[in-house]
Structure formats: structure tokens, C-alpha cells
Amino acid sequence: NLMIALKHIIWDWNGTILDDRWLTIAAMNNVLTRRNMDLLTEDRYLQLFTFPVIEYYRRLGFNFDKEPFSVSGTEFINEYNTRAFEPQLHDGIIDLIAELKENDVSHSILSASSQEILDKLVEYHNIGHYFNAVLGQDNHYAYGKIETGKIWINKSGIAAKHTLFIGDTGHDLEVANAIGSQCALLSWGHSSSERLENKGVNVFNTILDLKFWINTRFILPAN
């Protein structure tokens, strides 16, 4: 297992950098309450959440013959967005990003969130200067993360093999595989460590573990 130079990290946003699992559950429970549907516990959420998101809604028991997905989906986003500035960033993530940046590793954010809310949150948390790009979804051209990631890798000029994608769901592994980057998954977001460990990829439960792995697995440019 030869060490490889690390030049760029693409970070997922929700759950990975932003500690928003609790808000995602609270917002969905408001939507579910209005329909007298079973509410989410954290444990149930971690078992059910998946991409594409419409499949997650099906797992929750939404019936799209009765009500189109756009209704409950939009309602959830509105519930989330009214409180979107409440979640904090996960402890230690920005410190790690800053440290790696000092070592000439550049960073970007790739999210399934709308570009508009993502830009607002990155500005609100005052972290934009750490990132070469902040890539959300423009709903007029809903490519999704895979397409957006491919376009960004091509544009960045950084070879995918020198890039690490860090996320918190099985979908993030699919994105990493599609763009050809390395992958690390974090268990403090929107999937349980059990579900992630079935994917046969490196799963980390703490920032220290992630940092140690990066330092032992990769050669940093400034060294």
C-alpha cells in the first residue's frame, strides 16, 4: 500500500463539516407530525436515511400517490432552512483544514444542498477563505454530486488520485468512486458507522483518527 501525494480534499458539507443531524431529524419530525406519521428517533434516522432522497421518504412511509414528493420535500427544506443557521461546525474540522492548507493541501466543498443556502452558511460561519470552491446544487441544473464532482475535478486540474473525498454516507463513496478519488467516511453525520463499515472503506469516528490516517496514508506536498 504505497503512500500517495495528497494535493486536494473535497469535503461533503451536511453532517461532515456541519453538525446538522439533529436539525435534519427535527425538521422531518415536523413534516411527519402534520401527517400523523411515525416520528424519527436518531437511531431510526441513521438506519433509514439514504440517497436518492426520494427513497428515504418512501422508507419513512410517504405515499406519493396521495401527495407528490415535491410537497413533502419542499416542506422539509423550508423547515430546515428556517433554522439553518443554528447547527455548529463539528469540533476540530476547521483546525484540520487550516493545518492541511498550511501544508499546501487545497480544499473544496461538494454538497447536495442548494448553492444559495450553502453560500450563505459558508459565509455565516466565516470559512470561505479555506476553500477553492464551494459547490452546491443549482436546482435549475440538478446534476447531483457525481456530475458536479466530475466537472470540478476536470476544472481543478488536480489528478483524481491525488484527491481525497471526505463524506458521511454511502453516496459519498459512490461520488468518490465515480470521480476516481480516494475516500474517507465519517461516522458523526447522516449514517451509522455500522452502515458505513459494510462499504469496505476507511471509516473514522473521531477527528484525531482521521488526522492520523491522513498523516500516515499520504505524503503532504510541503514535506
Side-chain angles (χ1 to χ4, degrees):
N1 206 350
L2 292 170
M3 287 178 79
I4 191 163
L6 178 62
K7 295 179 181 172
H8 187 77
I9 299 179
I10 302 173
W11 296 84
D12 168 59
W13 173 249
N14 299 96
T16 300
I17 295 178
L18 189 71
D19 182 8
D20 71 342
R21 179 200 291 170
W22 66 270
L23 176 56
T24 307
I25 294 168
M28 182 55 83
N29 277 342
N30 287 348
V31 178
L32 293 167
T33 296
R34 288 188 198 108
R35 290 161 178 79
N36 296 316
M37 291 167 67
D38 291 344
L39 299 187
L40 284 169
T41 58
E42 184 170 278
D43 191 52
R44 184 165 176 249
Y45 174 73
L46 289 174
Q47 295 308 318
L48 294 183
F49 183 72
T50 192
F51 287 91
V53 171
I54 190 167
E55 181 54 36
Y56 157 61
Y57 280 65
R58 283 198 187 97
R59 290 178 178 188
L60 289 172
F62 285 93
N63 180 343
F64 301 131
D65 297 330
K66 284 186 184 169
E67 175 187 72
F69 171 53
S70 58
V71 175
S72 50
T74 302
E75 200 175 305
F76 166 78
I77 288 167
N78 293 338
E79 287 283 346
Y80 181 100
N81 286 351
T82 56
R83 300 183 68 186
F85 297 98
E86 291 180 37
Q88 305 293 307
L89 305 181
H90 280 292
D91 288 344
I93 286 261
I94 296 300
D95 296 338
L96 176 59
I97 289 171
E99 198 178 302
L100 288 164
K101 201 170 158 72
E102 299 259 297
N103 277 314
D104 292 333
V105 177
S106 59
H107 301 268
S108 58
I109 291 173
L110 175 60
S111 176
S113 291
S114 86
Q115 189 71 52
E116 186 185 4
I117 195 77
L118 185 62
D119 287 339
K120 282 180 184 165
L121 289 171
V122 166
E123 186 182 350
Y124 175 78
H125 291 285
N126 193 22
I127 56 174
H129 55 284
Y130 292 111
F131 300 100
N132 291 14
V134 174
L135 305 161
Q137 301 306 315
D138 176 336
N139 288 337
H140 304 297
Y141 312 100
Y143 291 131
K145 281 168 85 168
I146 289 177
E147 281 308 304
T148 311
K150 283 181 176 173
I151 292 164
W152 166 237
I153 283 278
N154 290 337
K155 199 171 159 184
S156 74
I158 300 163
K161 68 174 183 179
H162 297 297
T163 301
L164 171 62
F165 190 98
I166 300 180
D168 66 327
T169 66
H171 181 56
D172 290 323
L173 176 59
E174 290 170 8
V175 175
N177 289 341
I179 63 183
S181 66
Q182 314 280 323
C183 185
L185 296 176
L186 311 176
S187 68
W188 53 72
H190 295 269
S191 277
S192 63
S193 46
E194 297 77 44
R195 278 177 78 189
L196 296 176
E197 277 156 8
N198 293 337
K199 305 282 177 197
V201 68
N202 299 285
V203 178
F204 301 97
N205 300 314
T206 71
I207 283 282
L208 281 175
D209 291 343
L210 173 66
K211 185 176 165 177
F212 180 79
W213 179 76
I214 288 172
N215 287 331
T216 50
R217 174 77 178 80
F218 296 99
I219 301 159
L220 302 183
N223 293 349

